[in-house]
Amino acid sequence: MRDALTEWREPIDREIEQLLPRTITEETLADLFGPPRYEYDTEAIAQALFEPVWDLLDRGGKRWRPVLFLELVDALGEDPEQYLPYATIPEILHTGTIIVDDVEDDATLRRGEEAIHLRYGTDIALNAGNALYFVPLKVISANPGDLDPSQQLGIYEMLTFELNRTHLGQGTDIVWHNESEIDITEAQYLEMSACKTGCLGRIAGRLAALVTDSSDAVEDAFAAYAESLSIAFQIGDDVLDVKHSLDQAGEFGKAFGNDIREGKRTLLVIHALKKADPADRDRLESILTAEEVTDEEIEFVLSILQETDSVEFALETAERLAADARSQLGEVDIDPEVQAELEDFTRYVIERDR
Amino acid sequence: MRDALTEWREPIDREIEQLLPRTITEETLADLFGPPRYEYDTEAIAQALFEPVWDLLDRGGKRWRPVLFLELVDALGEDPEQYLPYATIPEILHTGTIIVDDVEDDATLRRGEEAIHLRYGTDIALNAGNALYFVPLKVISANPGDLDPSQQLGIYEMLTFELNRTHLGQGTDIVWHNESEIDITEAQYLEMSACKTGCLGRIAGRLAALVTDSSDAVEDAFAAYAESLSIAFQIGDDVLDVKHSLDQAGEFGKAFGNDIREGKRTLLVIHALKKADPADRDRLESILTAEEVTDEEIEFVLSILQETDSVEFALETAERLAADARSQLGEVDIDPEVQAELEDFTRYVIERDR
């Protein structure tokens, strides 16, 4: 899978450029969005949409959802090349959600640079991010791979279902973030993450089953694999943030404890709140809901996370999810070589160091 | 049509409550969005989505797009009752866009009350607004009226097309709003408005043709009718803002000139910029791009709008669009009584006083 990430990178980015050309003219706009009834302001549309989106896309990103889609198609014994344009769907949707999430979360950095809303303005960022919720859907009507109408319909229905749930997850996370008392069960955390993050993975998984006209059993297994993988990936991210913070705490001039500063309700924090003494718990809650957080407070939170074995607990949960993802793949008849790669990927998302 | 707005109000609002119940439980959530894999935080989801959306829906709104859809179905000799759930699609999409637009435009008021992002926070508002881009699409898979798969597919493709163009329009408007030099042609203004506002009207029009399995000619005519009507409606709004401002200017303690304060590039402003003397033009541009605007500056802008006959020019354009809308209806064979109502509505959108 890690080789696949390198190997598919260029073909995926070429497809993204088909969907969203780097430079546009009146003609490309008419090709992409239909002819104008009156007259497009091409320059304004370039500024509003194409510039901010390419700024973000050019900053990198792992493109793991499109690669997952292609690998799953491959696992079913079909030629991924044939369905390459569909790979852009989860990636572009993901790109749209991170632009919008950064506004919602008041984030300052994205992929090591200024967040899009800080560079281009909140208005431009939101509109561009939202546009990306609909741009990739154009792939379905272009119909690469010559799908049956019932398959196309299945893709639209799947996307509607998953994108609705994405907003339930993000909404839940926002409400938690704004609350001063934190009373979240582990099951509620996993559901929030299944919706917020898992749905974009599920889109990649279900799409692979749908374009290949596979059975419902395959679609369900791929969806469950991708969902568990996505949650494990998220927990892996949250663990990394704490590990880096523990490494960097006390080092002069380095920012650390970003998630703590933002008051993120990670699985680690939820576990620590459950296990900590009442007094520590109160201080933890007040730090997580504070506007400004000192380095000393971050170090206090890190010490509580350590005392309550929260990193270990989070890693165990991630490993349970990864094992679940692997067992889901075991339910369906797929190419054993690709299966091994996909199993390997469930380990990588937890063990990676960046 | 004005009678139809009153008559259909309750049935439409009942359908909206089917789609988005006022109170939710674990069971209603599972019915609406599928069962949880782990456990929903029902209270958080109610706060994130249902409360802010119902706050806005309960403030009113004309619901003219759903009524237009129902009237067009009626005009084709079919029973609108049968397709009632589809009427929620343009209304809920519209509700989503105004929540998001108010964030983008930094608006303070909506339907006479605090804008949703000011009352609930930008994060909650954006997520709820965006959720409304996908919630109404659930109607299509529920399949009221028992449509053929090809019709369902047609609806998804139509929505993808129109919602992409909506974001081109909004993006163009944002770029204009942020520019200090204003050089916009009338054709570019009409295109921006056709995209930003017209597309939501077009959705109502095309949906009526699609659910009734009508010809492409009917769909095109309904789309063009609804688009021209929507632009005329928008120009009507902009003219009303100026008329109210002229009435209220100088009256103690009343806010006036809202559009001018916001720096909106209306058709009136674009015309005034073209016709005004160079010195007036410069002052006009600087007022429209200023952060803070005095009452005296508003009065100056109003005087320029009057000198350049901009209200008359805008009304003439709106009347031309209304006539175009009526002629589009004349192209197709529909019930003459409903046709007369729909023609009447094109006059109302310009002549109304609120």
Side-chain angles (χ1 to χ4, degrees):
Chain A
M1 182 78 179
R2 271 165 283 177
D3 290 345
L5 286 172
T6 314
E7 188 188 311
W8 282 114
R9 175 100 204 176
E10 231 183 83
I12 290 167
D13 282 3
R14 267 204 307 276
E15 285 304 326
I16 295 177
E17 287 195 41
Q18 292 291 315
L19 197 64
L20 278 166
R22 283 176 184 275
T23 51
I24 55 159
T25 61
E26 202 125 342
E27 289 75 45
T28 42
L29 272 187
D31 284 347
L32 290 168
F33 299 106
R37 178 144 175 208
Y38 304 96
E39 181 194 347
Y40 284 132
D41 185 342
T42 311
E43 179 49 36
I45 293 173
Q47 278 182 48
L49 181 56
F50 295 81
E51 286 173 28
V53 169
W54 273 107
D55 178 345
L56 181 55
L57 286 168
D58 281 337
R59 295 181 193 179
K62 299 186 186 69
R63 312 276 194 265
W64 68 269
R65 292 177 194 81
V67 174
L68 178 62
F69 162 78
L70 295 166
E71 290 287 290
L72 288 169
V73 169
D74 191 20
L76 293 165
E78 297 245 14
D79 178 16
E81 286 282 352
Q82 205 184 341
Y83 303 108
L84 202 46
Y86 296 100
T88 63
I89 294 177
E91 186 64 23
I92 298 300
L93 290 174
H94 165 67
T95 308
T97 62
I98 60 180
I99 295 175
V100 174
D101 286 3
D102 282 350
V103 176
E104 291 170 357
D105 303 344
D106 239 336
T108 52
L109 286 175
R110 173 59 68 177
R111 293 176 182 163
E113 292 182 43
E114 220 178 356
I116 294 300
H117 63 284
L118 295 180
R119 186 165 290 173
Y120 298 92
T122 297
D123 47 6
I124 289 284
L126 285 177
N127 187 67
N130 281 173
L132 298 190
Y133 294 175
F134 300 103
V135 163
L137 275 54
K138 295 193 296 134
V139 171
I140 310 167
S141 56
N143 201 17
D146 200 17
L147 308 188
D148 288 339
S150 66
Q151 287 172 278
Q152 294 176 285
L153 197 53
I155 295 173
Y156 281 118
E157 288 182 352
M158 178 274 284
L159 290 171
T160 299
F161 180 87
E162 301 297 346
L163 291 169
N164 266 302
R165 286 173 61 93
T166 307
H167 288 90
L168 294 190
Q170 173 70 355
T172 302
D173 201 21
I174 291 169
V175 168
W176 290 350
H177 195 281
N178 296 343
E179 264 172 7
S180 55
E181 260 184 67
I182 305 163
D183 184 18
I184 306 164
T185 68
E186 193 195 321
Q188 286 173 334
Y189 172 83
L190 293 174
E191 187 65 35
M192 182 281 289
S193 192
C195 288
K196 177 176 167 153
T197 315
C199 284
L200 284 162
R202 287 171 59 94
I203 287 171
R206 295 182 67 183
L207 207 48
L210 287 163
V211 298
T212 53
D213 215 3
S214 300
S215 67
D216 289 352
V218 169
E219 188 176 339
D220 291 346
F222 283 7
Y225 165 82
E227 179 180 296
S228 291
L229 178 76
S230 301
I231 306 175
F233 210 128
Q234 181 59 54
I235 296 174
D237 263 351
D238 297 340
V239 166
L240 270 180
D241 186 85
V242 169
K243 281 189 175 167
H244 287 162
S245 300
L246 286 167
D247 289 347
Q248 289 172 348
E251 270 187 58
F252 179 75
K254 285 210 183 159
F256 67 101
N258 293 328
D259 287 353
I260 299 168
R261 252 175 248 280
E262 281 180 23
K264 244 174 108 171
R265 271 54 163 166
T266 64
L267 186 60
L268 294 84
V269 160
I270 290 165
H271 180 74
L273 283 165
K274 209 160 59 183
K275 296 288 169 193
D277 300 336
D280 287 344
R281 184 194 157 98
D282 286 351
R283 187 162 176 218
L284 202 51
E285 277 190 344
S286 80
I287 294 172
L288 289 166
T289 50
E291 285 288 318
E292 291 287 328
V293 178
T294 65
D295 283 3
E296 198 207 334
E297 286 171 325
I298 303 260
E299 292 193 28
F300 167 76
V301 175
L302 290 173
S303 74
I304 298 293
L305 292 178
Q306 283 180 297
E307 276 171 34
T308 53
D309 293 327
S310 294
V311 168
E312 293 74 9
F313 171 78
L315 283 176
E316 276 162 30
T317 308
E319 269 155 26
R320 209 172 60 233
L321 288 160
D324 172 69
R326 291 190 293 274
S327 85
Q328 294 289 347
L329 281 187
E331 296 293 310
V332 289
D333 182 28
I334 53 173
D335 181 285
E337 205 175 307
V338 187
Q339 185 173 346
E341 277 186 55
L342 292 166
E343 289 181 358
D344 179 55
F345 195 53
T346 66
R347 295 183 186 96
Y348 161 74
V349 299
I350 304 171
E351 290 159 12
R352 71 209 154 93
D353 54 12
R354 52 183 290 260
Chain B
M1 182 77 180
R2 271 165 285 175
D3 291 343
L5 285 171
T6 314
E7 188 188 311
W8 282 114
R9 176 101 204 176
E10 233 183 80
I12 290 167
D13 283 3
R14 265 201 309 274
E15 285 303 325
I16 294 177
E17 287 195 41
Q18 292 291 316
L19 197 64
L20 278 165
R22 284 177 184 272
T23 50
I24 54 158
T25 60
E26 203 126 338
E27 290 73 46
T28 42
L29 271 187
D31 283 349
L32 290 168
F33 299 107
R37 179 146 174 207
Y38 304 95
E39 179 195 349
Y40 285 132
D41 184 343
T42 312
E43 179 49 36
I45 293 173
Q47 277 183 46
L49 182 56
F50 294 81
E51 287 175 27
V53 170
W54 274 108
D55 179 347
L56 181 54
L57 286 168
D58 281 336
R59 295 182 194 179
K62 299 186 186 69
R63 313 275 195 266
W64 69 267
R65 292 176 192 83
V67 174
L68 178 62
F69 161 77
L70 295 166
E71 291 286 290
L72 288 169
V73 169
D74 190 21
L76 292 165
E78 297 244 15
D79 177 16
E81 287 282 351
Q82 205 184 342
Y83 303 108
L84 202 47
Y86 295 99
T88 63
I89 294 178
E91 185 66 21
I92 297 300
L93 290 173
H94 165 66
T95 307
T97 61
I98 60 180
I99 294 175
V100 175
D101 286 5
D102 281 350
V103 176
E104 291 170 358
D105 301 346
D106 239 335
T108 52
L109 285 175
R110 172 59 68 176
R111 294 179 181 161
E113 292 182 43
E114 221 179 355
I116 294 299
H117 63 283
L118 295 180
R119 185 165 290 173
Y120 298 91
T122 297
D123 47 6
I124 290 283
L126 285 177
N127 186 67
N130 280 173
L132 299 189
Y133 294 176
F134 300 103
V135 163
L137 274 56
K138 295 192 297 134
V139 171
I140 309 167
S141 55
N143 201 17
D146 199 18
L147 308 188
D148 288 338
S150 67
Q151 286 172 281
Q152 294 178 285
L153 197 53
I155 294 173
Y156 281 117
E157 289 183 351
M158 177 275 282
L159 289 171
T160 300
F161 181 87
E162 300 297 346
L163 291 168
N164 266 302
R165 286 173 60 93
T166 306
H167 288 90
L168 295 189
Q170 173 71 355
T172 303
D173 201 22
I174 291 170
V175 169
W176 289 350
H177 194 280
N178 296 342
E179 264 172 6
S180 55
E181 259 184 67
I182 305 163
D183 186 17
I184 306 164
T185 68
E186 193 194 323
Q188 286 172 334
Y189 172 82
L190 292 173
E191 188 65 34
M192 182 281 289
S193 192
C195 288
K196 177 177 167 152
T197 314
C199 285
L200 284 163
R202 288 171 59 94
I203 286 172
R206 295 182 68 183
L207 208 46
L210 286 164
V211 298
T212 53
D213 215 4
S214 301
S215 67
D216 289 353
V218 169
E219 188 177 341
D220 291 346
F222 282 6
Y225 166 82
E227 178 181 297
S228 291
L229 178 76
S230 301
I231 307 174
F233 209 128
Q234 181 60 54
I235 296 174
D237 263 350
D238 298 339
V239 166
L240 268 181
D241 186 85
V242 169
K243 280 188 175 170
H244 287 162
S245 300
L246 286 167
D247 289 347
Q248 290 171 347
E251 269 185 59
F252 179 74
K254 286 211 181 158
F256 67 103
N258 293 330
D259 286 355
I260 298 168
R261 252 176 250 278
E262 281 180 24
K264 242 173 108 172
R265 271 50 164 172
T266 64
L267 187 60
L268 293 84
V269 160
I270 291 165
H271 181 74
L273 283 165
K274 208 159 63 184
K275 296 291 170 190
D277 299 337
D280 287 343
R281 184 192 157 99
D282 288 350
R283 190 164 172 214
L284 202 49
E285 278 189 343
S286 78
I287 293 172
L288 288 167
T289 50
E291 285 288 318
E292 292 287 327
V293 178
T294 65
D295 283 2
E296 197 206 331
E297 286 170 327
I298 304 261
E299 292 192 28
F300 167 77
V301 175
L302 290 172
S303 75
I304 297 294
L305 292 178
Q306 283 181 297
E307 275 172 33
T308 53
D309 293 326
S310 293
V311 168
E312 292 75 8
F313 171 78
L315 283 175
E316 276 163 28
T317 309
E319 269 156 22
R320 211 173 59 234
L321 287 160
D324 172 67
R326 290 190 293 274
S327 85
Q328 294 289 347
L329 283 187
E331 296 293 310
V332 289
D333 183 25
I334 53 174
D335 180 284
E337 207 174 307
V338 187
Q339 184 172 345
E341 277 185 54
L342 292 165
E343 288 181 358
D344 178 54
F345 195 53
T346 66
R347 294 182 187 97
Y348 161 74
V349 300
I350 305 171
E351 290 159 12
R352 71 207 152 94
D353 53 14
R354 52 184 291 258

